[in-house]
């Protein structure tokens, strides 16, 4: 079973040289720590910054430089600043090669829900609906089950949707799965996790083809 | 062409009960602090506020929410404000949540005389309710309309009496878009400089979009998530 | 009868302090020479410049600073440069208080034709269609009749239209006319021009109310 | 992330017969001279060119027209080019003339993933033929669609290896919009500077939109209408 860092590490393996990447809040943010050596990847944050560097050193925070999670950040040489419309032009116009975000639920057809629990949580969708509706390449990073142990990989989402049939890959603490033809295709198992464990934790249609290798992270 | 006004109090003259106002900023970054404080003082009520966020409980638009001056919020993310959540769940506050990119483009469209456009964002979700769906290149899109406001209030780093503005860092965000979409647009700036001091080639918001400008008294520039790395 | 400079001078009287103005090629360009003293007016050119100053001194021309007529220009302190989309945002979004442009034909309902003579002239509309479709306040500056002596103020335009029912005022070498309720309302006569002269030179419906004063320019 | 290529010849690799290309510039101001010269040399044919203008007879896109390399022009104003007019009237050249603001917004929409939008420009004219008409606030608008291209070629003043661009003066014009709308976008710059030399706050085109960049050999920067005042 992976921890959050492990999920981030596994997703970092999906990065390719020269990619522009938008990372959501939570587990996705951790991915920036695991970029393979020598690989050039630039991070975009939808509030209007490209080429985000590490967090500032203590005392060097600048209220005018934040990311979409409202965290203080730095900008690297070669970075740029732009307004919100240009930022979403990058996103909607598919100039970003990879979007990684968290989810509350993912369905076997690629639907995703991550912005609202009716009557309980009304934070708003932020940029998530633009991101999932636009990106060709979306990876969801999340725990396989919720706090009550119920599967987050479902036949149909029960919560209000963020996007329709848009998720192509899910990386959880238990597995790597592709979404194709209305089903989760099991690609890899987390260390120490059996195919049966994954089956038990997956409500949506799960396809298992041949031997499912264990991840190497 | 001198658009300078004395202070925030003069700048907000004419903002009346039940008007629609746009406010720049992302979280607490790049918000017009001085005008918000002045709106609290003025006690204007029944406002419809278009702003990406709703501040936090004791800063930004949260101050207007506490005084119940806001009737309706049009925003994309309001997760940092308990009073907001309380007013919304109790039905005291009307809320229209829209995707962030659509919010940005709707303000831009409003300023640019484009009444409506198609976007893929929100198709198949609550956001699409009652909106036209049309397929382009086999992909579903929804029709979104332009947003404008009686007043837009933006915050910039530097400005000149012509209303030309330069923003700093990610405090830019929605400010240049909303600056275009106000019937009257107010700019509060950290530094009001002489005409000619701003390089015309690097002006972010051309003065034509601004009707009033003043140098703010004080900018607290509160940080929501102070995140640092330890020096090694 | 006015010459082209006279037309420009008369239109300059329509300017108001604090206005942003877009001037078309030809007669409209001359208006910049007749701004009343002490009046602040800023000129926008749709290729992306606001706050245009006078032409440069000999030897100071810069190929990177031109107006929409491709003439070398200067920029004044307080001016700004922007891309074509922002420029037309100013125009479409009605941030410009006055548009003055030339025309080949204007009709009594405010239609205008100024971009194409089928089979003969195919220069293109440039920014004219955006300008006339958007501006609240459009003045046409032109000669009252064409080279062959035929009226350019018509019942209906014979040439392909640039815009529909958009012109509110016409200033010619003979007269100042408003367009209201499907007719040209004669407001002023040029020096030495009689109401009958104007009637004879106007094909569209012309309304004459009371004494028509002579322009003072 | 180094997007630098050696020269114009390397930059235009992959531009093939019958492709659609966008070219920045207004008149001869801000046109990608080096790539145009190289396209003439390469002899690629049947091009659809999206450009506000079509150059003059012996410069800019006029050079491609003379070699009959262009099948179709999508432009707003083509008044300075006799060869263009000849080819158009004789039917050798297809021409789609569109309002300048619509051209700008259609390129911007193409780059921004907005497939279509409504504009008042062109209602009731030839431009509206076959296009949907819809009223907003009682005013008629027509539906215009996004433009994209196999290649966009832009010209900037300064650029860095990341593809970040800064334009100078009115040479900016369509360049930033077309930069966003190319499947592959080539930037030719007067000065290629080191990463970090361009202030991130004043970058006009963020590097994400650029795939190839090079410093042009020579920029003639021809002036179409040299207009001066006499010194007094």
């Amino acid at each position: 079973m992976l921890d959050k860092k492990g999920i981030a590490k596994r997703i970092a393996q999906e990065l390719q040289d020269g990619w522009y990447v938008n990372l959501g809040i939570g587990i996705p943010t951790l991915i920036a720590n695991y970029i393979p050596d020598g690989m050039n990847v630039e991070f975009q944050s939808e509030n209007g910054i490209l080429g985000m560097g590490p967090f500032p050193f203590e005392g060097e925070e600048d209220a005018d430089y934040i990311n979409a999670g409202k965290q203080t950040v730095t900008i690297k040489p070669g970075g740029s600043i732009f307004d919100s419309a240009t930022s979403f032009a990058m996103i909607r116009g598919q100039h970003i090669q990879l979007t990684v975000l968290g989810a509350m639920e993912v369905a076997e057809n690629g639907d995703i829900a991550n912005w609202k629990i009716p009557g309980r949580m009304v934070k708003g969708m932020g940029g998530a609906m633009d991101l999932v509706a636009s990106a060709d390449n979306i990876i969801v990073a999340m725990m396989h089950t919720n706090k009550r142990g119920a599967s987050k990989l479902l036949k149909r989402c029960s919560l209000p949707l963020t996007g329709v049939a848009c998720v192509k890959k899910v990386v959880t603490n238990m597995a790597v799965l592709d979404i194709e033809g209305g089903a989760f295709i099991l690609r890899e198992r987390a260390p120490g996790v059996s195919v049966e464990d994954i089956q038990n934790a997956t409500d949506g249609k799960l396809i298992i083809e041949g031997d499912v290798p264990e991840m190497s992270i | 062409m001198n658009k300078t006004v004395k202070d925030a109090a003069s700048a907000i003259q004419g903002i009346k009960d039940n008007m629609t106002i746009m406010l720049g900023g992302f979280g607490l970054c790049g918000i017009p602090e001085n005008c918000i404080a002045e709106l609290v003082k003025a006690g204007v009520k029944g406002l419809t506020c278009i702003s990406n966020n709703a501040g936090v409980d004791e800063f930004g638009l949260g101050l207007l929410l506490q005084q119940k001056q806001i009737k309706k919020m049009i925003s994309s993310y309001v997760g940092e404000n308990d009073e907001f959540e309380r007013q919304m769940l109790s039905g005291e506050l009307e809320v229209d949540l829209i995707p962030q990119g659509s919010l940005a483009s709707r303000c831009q469209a409003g300023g640019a005389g484009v009444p409506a456009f198609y976007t893929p964002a929100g198709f198949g979700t609550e956001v699409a309710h009652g909106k036209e769906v049309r397929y382009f290149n086999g992909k579903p899109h929804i029709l979104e309309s332009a947003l404008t406001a009686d007043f837009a209030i933006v915050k910039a780093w530097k400005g000149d009496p012509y209303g030309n503005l330069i923003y700093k860092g990610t405090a830019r965000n929605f400010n240049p878009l909303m600056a275009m979409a106000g019937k009257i647009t107010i700019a509060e700036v950290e530094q009001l400089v002489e005409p000619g001091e701003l390089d015309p080639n690097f002006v972010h918001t051309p003065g034509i979009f601004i009707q009033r400008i003043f140098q703010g008294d004080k900018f607290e520039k509160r940080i929501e998530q102070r995140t640092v790395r330890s020096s090694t």
Side-chain angles (χ1 to χ4, degrees), chain A residues 43-213:
Chain A
F43 296 106
Q44 193 252 18
S45 195
E46 63 267 27
N47 60 317
I49 182 169
L50 191 65
M52 261 188 303
F55 294 129
F57 287 118
E58 177 99 37
E60 293 180 3
E61 321 87 87
D62 183 338
D64 290 330
Y65 284 85
I66 64 167
N67 65 17
K70 281 97 173 176
Q71 298 171 310
T72 43
V73 295
T74 58
I75 184 165
K76 296 194 303 175
S80 54
I81 296 288
F82 32 86
D83 64 48
S84 300
T86 305
S87 187
F88 282 91
M90 294 175 186
I91 290 166
R92 255 194 268 97
Q94 304 193 330
H95 303 278
I96 307 267
Q97 278 77 35
L98 175 64
T99 291
V100 186
L101 75 175
M104 299 193 273
E105 297 178 344
V106 175
E108 62 192 25
N109 69 340
D111 287 358
I112 174 173
N114 73 349
W115 75 283
K116 184 178 184 180
I117 304 175
R120 249 183 60 207
M121 193 201 79
V122 284
K123 292 186 184 305
M125 67 292 283
M129 282 193 185
D130 307 272
L131 281 159
V132 301
S134 308
D136 258 345
N137 193 8
I138 301 170
I139 300 179
V140 165
M142 65 177 189
M143 306 309 279
H144 211 98
T145 55
N146 65 21
K147 284 170 193 161
R148 283 161 288 114
S151 179
K152 297 171 72 174
L153 288 79
L154 307 173
K155 291 209 167 306
R156 289 177 65 89
C157 292
S158 66
L159 295 170
L161 294 186
T162 307
V164 172
C166 52
V167 177
K168 307 280 198 311
K169 189 180 279 288
V170 182
V171 178
T172 75
N173 53 329
M174 301 182 79
V176 175
L177 309 102
D178 287 335
I179 294 179
E180 281 174 29
F184 298 102
I185 321 285
L186 183 59
R187 297 296 185 203
E188 298 174 24
R189 297 172 292 111
V193 175
S194 70
V195 167
E196 292 67 31
D197 293 337
I198 295 164
Q199 276 180 312
N200 290 335
T202 305
D203 269 9
K205 184 172 178 187
L206 183 70
I207 293 181
I208 299 149
E209 289 164 337
D211 270 357
V212 178

Side-chain angles (χ1 to χ4, degrees), chain A residues 25 46-49 53-74 81-86 88-89 92 94 112 115-136 160-164, chain B residues 26-30 52-53 75-80 84-85 88-89 97-105 108 117-127 139 155 157 168-177 190 220-232:
Chain A
I25 298 171
E46 63 267 27
N47 60 317
I49 182 169
F55 294 129
F57 287 118
E58 177 99 37
E60 293 180 3
E61 321 87 87
D62 183 338
D64 290 330
Y65 284 85
I66 64 167
N67 65 17
K70 281 97 173 176
Q71 298 171 310
T72 43
V73 295
T74 58
I81 296 288
F82 32 86
D83 64 48
S84 300
T86 305
F88 282 91
R92 255 194 268 97
Q94 304 193 330
I112 174 173
W115 75 283
K116 184 178 184 180
I117 304 175
R120 249 183 60 207
M121 193 201 79
V122 284
K123 292 186 184 305
M125 67 292 283
M129 282 193 185
D130 307 272
L131 281 159
V132 301
S134 308
D136 258 345
L161 294 186
T162 307
V164 172
Chain B
F26 185 98
L28 301 179
C29 181
N52 188 58
N53 311 85
S75 298
S76 97
Y77 191 80
V78 292
E80 288 95 356
F84 180 99
E85 200 148 350
M88 173 165 163
L89 291 176
L97 290 172
I98 55 186
Q100 196 173 127
S102 298
L103 179 60
S105 295
Q108 189 178 46
F117 61 90
Y118 292 92
T119 174
F123 168 78
T125 76
E126 288 183 13
V127 165
K139 189 172 166 175
K155 189 264 167 177
W157 181 36
K168 183 176 153 229
T170 54
R172 191 182 317 182
N173 55 63
F174 285 85
N175 282 299
L177 312 167
E190 293 185 51
E220 185 177 336
K221 302 218 276 187
R222 204 182 283 193
I223 292 174
E224 274 182 84
Q225 304 284 340
R226 189 177 303 271
T227 321
V228 297
R229 64 186 144 144
S230 47
S231 5
T232 39

